[in-house]
Each structure stands twice: as structure tokens, then as C-alpha cells.
Amino acid sequence: MSDYRRITIAQAGSHTGESVEIAGWLYNLRKSGKIIFPLIRDGSGIMQCVGLKSSLSEECFEALKNLTQESSVIIRGKCRAEQRAPGGFEMDIESAEIVQRVPEETPYPITPKDHGIEFLFDHRHLHLRSRRQHAILKIRHEIIKAIRDYFDSNGFTLVDCPIFTPAACEGTTTLFEVDYFEDEKVYLTQSGQLYNEATAMAFGKTYCFGPTFRAEKSKTRRHLTEFWMVEPEMAFATLDDVKQHAEELICFIVGRVLDNRKTELGALERDISKLEAIKTPFPRISYDEAVEILRRKGSEIVWGGDFGGTDETLLSEEFDRPVMVDKYPTQVKAFYFQPDEQRPEVALGVDVIASEGYGEVIGGGQRIHDYNLLLQRIQEHNLPPEAFQWYLDLRRFGSVPHAGFGMGVERTVAWLCGLEHIRETIAFPRMLYRTRP
Ligand code: 4AD
Ligand code: MG
């Protein structure tokens, strides 16, 4: 064993001048005769190391000098502050141990040259090591942590929902069917909402957070077939409560990312001023007003239709922060939406449309709490009443006005990171034409 203490690159600042070792992979290597500069990444950061021929054994110097990209190594030496270095520290190498050398004959496939998107996603298991993907997934983690902290500190209980479900929540056209046992068919969940409505009646305020599935046949930059959604649900709550939590949640997340992930935002060259503009209150407009704005801007939308991706982008151009659009026509919304008492043709639902053209990040609203109306809607939507008996029970036993929403994690990550396409926001994306690796 060595007397070198193992540290991560991120910890280098608190160990300057000490004998330490880092364990990682060769990211890049510069060399000129008697000096080599291996750039090592260890998952926590990237550090430039400096190896002098004069202060290393011949064997060690040669091994490092000929090291191949992504070979795994342990490097020992002393760290010092170096303002010009990435990360702010450098290590003067005293010795090294090669853990596995990538053979020359089968070099690491992802080189600093430009590769096509399909190539990179075919090699996603390796692509994740690149600086940009690393920054995105660090921000994703920060966002998920912020979401949990927000709900945990606002009195919500986490009660997760099943993934195998007997019925549709968000329309029957995007269901993935699974063969269960003995001829039984189940579906992969589209949303935990219906179950959340049950847990909210037990706990008051709940949320679920997990993967959800949509058989989206469209190939867009905003849709995955498997995505993560956080869904809060509140008993004795209305559309206004949804709006308030939706905007507070978004601002809380943005604040955390700005506080803790400046380095990663920098690596992505994100325009931070756009994120700093995301402050409460968000503008609130009705579907009617949104249609007016869109028609003025040249959209073909007519009252009664749902917004397409282009419409959402056009709408977001009008505001420097997210906009909340409420009271959509009942016909474009799911069966469970509570109708407006004064105007039953519109639903008490709201969509939060992100700024800068990132589209809908949150959808939610108030649920029908009247038994007869709910039964009627289930029938109108041709949903199998047997599968909804338990859901109807919630309207038989102490029904109350209640409301909630769902926020897509990947849409949020794409927005805050400023990404062109949603595929980069999750480690292993699942899309219409991608189920591998
Ligand atoms: O608007 P959606 O379909 O709402 C629901 O599922 C409700 N049951 C949620 C609730 O009220 N509990 O989806 C909610 C959010 C969207 O705003 C979007 O951010 C995300 O989920 N989303 C998708 N993200 C990636 N790929 C897809 N195919 C998505 N579909 C929805
Ligand atoms: Mg929606």
C-alpha cells in the first residue's frame, strides 16, 4: 500500500502540498520531449497533471507518455493551486499505476473530432464520460434533489405509484401494453396521478416521482417514450394552489441550479441572465388569450384545438419568464379535469410553458370530485368502468375538491441547460427509434 491518501479531484483544494493520489481515466495527453501533461478525469472533476522525465522513473515516464485515451490510472503526487488550470489545481506526478491500458488496436471510439449524433448515442455508454454530458447529468441531479427538497419541506409525503397499471390515465393512444400472467394485459404507467388522488385523501399532500411511459409515435425534440415525472397532489385544493406551487417549485429549482451548478452551466455556455429572469409571479393568461396572441403572430390555431410545439414556442416569445395558460377547452384535456362552473366548456387546468421555446414543462389542474360527473366522463371517453371502480370510490367516501400537477424532469433539464434536444437530458434515452444501449 502507498502512503498516498486517495482524494477526488474535487477535493484537491483542501489537500494542496500533501502526498495524495487520484484515480481516474486519461482524458487527454499533451507532451513535449521531457515533460508530459496527462489530463485526468475522475468523475468529480478534471485535473491536469505534470510529469517531468527528470523526476520520474524511466518506466513510469514512458508508460504515461504512451498512455491511450480513457485508460484507467492512479496518479500519485502533490497538488498545487494553478489559476490557469481547469479546476484551478495541478498535480506534480511522483509515480503512477496503470490500471487498464486501452490497446492501440482498439482505441476509444469517441475522439475529440466531431461525431454524428447517431454515432454518439450508439456509444452512449461511453459518451456519458464527455464533459458536456457530465455537466448535463450533474445539473439533472441538482434538479431532482431540488424537487425532492421542495416537496419534503412543504409538507408533502412521498408515496410512489405502480408502474404496471390496469388502465389509461392520459388517453388510450399512448399506452404501452405488457403481457402479464395468464392472459392478463397491463399497461406501463403514463402518470401516477390517479393513485396520487387516493394517497392525497390519506395524507393530505403527497407526491410521486418516477419513470412514466408514453407510446409517442412522433419524433420531436421534446418527447421521450420513457421519462421521469414528479407529480404532487393535494386534498382540499384548487387550480390556484396548483399555480402557486408550480411557480414556486420552478423558482426554487432555478435558484438551486444557479447557486450550485455555475461551473456546469459554464461548460454548457448557458446564458445565465435568461435563468436569472425566472422570478415569481409568472404571467397568467387564459387559453382564450393565448389563442388571440397566437393568431396575431400568424398561427393557424382555432379555438378548441390543442397547442402544437410551434404554438408553445411562439407563446414563449412574448414573455421573459414562463407563462401559465389556464382554462383549456375540455375536449383537449383528459377525462378527469374539473369543468369551470361558469363555463363548463373549459377545464380548470393549467399548463406552464417554459421560456425560450422549451415548451410545456408542467401540466395539471383541479380534478372532478363529483361522482356522477366523473362516471359520465369515464363513459364519454370509452374507458372501462371496471378498472375505475376504485377511483370512483374516492368520490364515494369523503370526496373533496383536490388538485395537482406533473412536471417532466427531462423537459426541465433541457430548458435549464439550454439544450437543443431532450435526448441529452437522461443517461439512456428511450425514443421512437432508440431503445439501445
Ligand atoms: O401534461 P401531462 O400529460 O400531465 C399528466 O400526465 C398529468 N396526469 C400530471 C398530473 O396532473 N399529475 O404531462 C406532464 C408533464 C408535461 O408537462 C411534460 O413536462 C412531461 O410531463 N411530459 C413529457 N416529457 C417528455 N416526454 C414526453 N413524451 C412527455 N409527455 C409529458
Ligand atoms: Mg400536458
Side-chain angles (χ1 to χ4, degrees):
M1 279 307 293
S2 68
D3 344 316
Y4 291 84
R5 168 152 173 210
R6 172 78 55 88
I7 63 161
T8 64
I9 291 173
Q11 296 167 331
S14 13
H15 297 279
T16 50
E18 296 170 27
S19 290
V20 293
E21 65 177 30
I22 56 170
W25 297 263
L26 184 74
Y27 195 68
N28 202 353
L29 179 65
R30 285 194 299 121
K31 47 193 166 185
S32 67
K34 298 188 162 99
I35 184 163
I36 51 173
F37 300 98
L39 202 59
I40 303 295
R41 57 162 200 89
D42 74 345
S44 81
I46 293 188
M47 186 149 69
Q48 173 156 293
C49 302
V50 185
L52 295 175
K53 192 172 170 121
S54 55
S55 55
L56 289 176
S57 72
E58 165 98 34
E59 192 196 347
C60 177
F61 185 79
E62 287 304 312
L64 285 177
K65 196 176 119 193
N66 296 309
L67 205 58
T68 42
Q69 191 190 345
E70 287 301 316
S71 289
S72 40
V73 282
I74 295 170
I75 298 210
R76 308 193 170 102
K78 293 201 179 67
C79 300
R80 59 183 155 71
E82 170 55 70
Q83 285 209 325
R84 289 163 302 173
F89 297 92
E90 264 184 6
M91 178 184 266
D92 293 315
I93 307 174
E94 292 168 6
S95 67
E97 193 181 305
I98 314 293
V99 181
Q100 188 248 333
R101 184 172 191 283
V102 176
E104 253 96 19
E105 311 80 67
T106 52
Y108 189 68
I110 303 177
T111 57
K113 74 162 196 212
D114 264 352
H115 297 283
I117 277 294
E118 289 307 314
F119 179 89
L120 291 174
F121 278 83
D122 285 343
H123 293 86
R124 185 66 172 164
H125 50 295
L126 304 175
H127 185 213
L128 295 175
R129 302 180 186 191
S130 70
R131 196 179 268 189
R132 178 182 160 83
Q133 301 310 311
H134 186 269
I136 295 169
L137 292 181
K138 278 288 193 182
I139 293 174
R140 177 188 170 102
H141 179 193
E142 191 73 44
I143 290 172
I144 290 174
K145 174 93 167 68
I147 291 170
R148 292 194 180 275
D149 287 347
Y150 177 83
F151 289 113
D152 293 348
S153 59
N154 278 285
F156 288 76
T157 301
L158 175 74
V159 188
D160 284 316
C161 298
I163 290 185
F164 288 144
T165 58
C169 177
E170 295 298 320
T172 48
T173 56
T174 61
L175 280 175
F176 277 114
E177 202 175 278
V178 177
D179 282 327
Y180 209 60
F181 303 110
E182 315 280 334
D183 301 329
E184 194 184 343
K185 294 258 184 254
V186 294
Y187 307 101
L188 296 182
T189 185
Q190 298 167 308
S191 157
Q193 179 197 320
L194 307 186
Y195 295 97
N196 277 344
E197 291 181 51
T199 63
M201 300 306 145
F203 297 87
K205 293 199 279 186
T206 55
Y207 71 104
C208 67
F209 197 167
T212 44
F213 304 85
R214 305 268 171 108
E216 301 276 4
K217 289 258 169 58
S218 53
K219 204 180 162 191
T220 80
R221 60 195 175 90
R222 290 178 187 161
H223 289 90
L224 294 166
T225 52
E226 176 181 314
F227 64 97
W228 283 66
M229 180 155 59
V230 61
E231 299 181 80
E233 192 71 28
M234 302 166 277
F236 294 102
T238 63
L239 178 59
D240 280 336
D241 298 300
V242 166
K243 290 181 192 168
Q244 190 202 323
H245 277 293
E247 69 180 356
E248 278 178 17
L249 170 66
I250 288 176
C251 292
F252 184 81
I253 297 170
V254 170
R256 279 283 183 86
V257 170
L258 284 171
D259 285 348
N260 301 336
R261 295 291 156 200
K262 277 263 160 59
T263 310
E264 287 80 4
L265 291 170
L268 299 171
E269 297 175 15
R270 182 65 169 113
D271 179 354
I272 293 202
S273 70
K274 294 280 202 293
L275 299 181
E276 285 166 344
I278 303 172
K279 297 248 164 70
T280 56
F282 295 170
R284 289 155 155 78
I285 61 172
S286 65
Y287 171 88
D288 297 355
E289 290 166 298
V291 168
E292 263 178 49
I293 296 176
L294 287 172
R295 293 196 63 89
R296 177 156 47 73
K297 293 179 74 97
S299 165
E300 310 258 276
I301 183 104
V302 288
W303 199 97
D306 204 357
F307 301 143
T310 321
D311 292 319
E312 290 174 357
T313 302
L314 283 176
L315 262 185
S316 74
E317 286 169 8
E318 297 287 294
F319 308 94
D320 70 340
R321 58 190 78 190
V323 54
M324 301 208 259
V325 183
D326 74 357
K327 301 196 180 170
Y328 283 73
T330 314
Q331 71 221 49
V332 300
K333 289 289 171 193
F335 73 96
Y336 51 72
F337 275 97
Q338 173 73 17
D340 187 353
E341 222 178 329
Q342 269 80 53
R343 276 178 78 196
E345 71 279 14
V346 298
L348 296 182
V350 64
D351 279 359
V352 181
I353 314 288
S355 37
E356 301 175 80
Y358 283 94
E360 178 202 327
V361 283
I362 285 181
Q366 203 173 316
R367 327 303 189 186
I368 293 175
H369 57 271
D370 178 71
Y371 177 88
N372 290 317
L373 179 59
L374 184 60
L375 183 60
Q376 186 191 324
R377 284 291 149 81
I378 288 172
Q379 286 160 348
E380 284 166 6
H381 281 77
N382 291 319
L383 296 167
E386 330 74 77
F388 288 91
Q389 282 312 314
W390 69 266
Y391 186 62
L392 284 159
D393 262 356
L394 305 175
R395 281 73 183 168
R396 286 192 191 100
F397 304 110
S399 190
V400 299
H402 61 288
F405 64 89
M407 180 169 88
V409 167
E410 291 76 16
R411 294 248 182 112
T412 309
V413 175
W415 171 33
L416 301 191
C417 291
L419 310 179
E420 271 293 303
H421 199 291
I422 198 164
R423 66 187 152 218
E424 286 186 301
T425 61
I426 185 164
F428 296 97
R430 296 292 174 249
M431 294 175 292
L432 184 52
Y433 297 114
R434 169 135 338 253
T435 49
R436 270 161 254 256

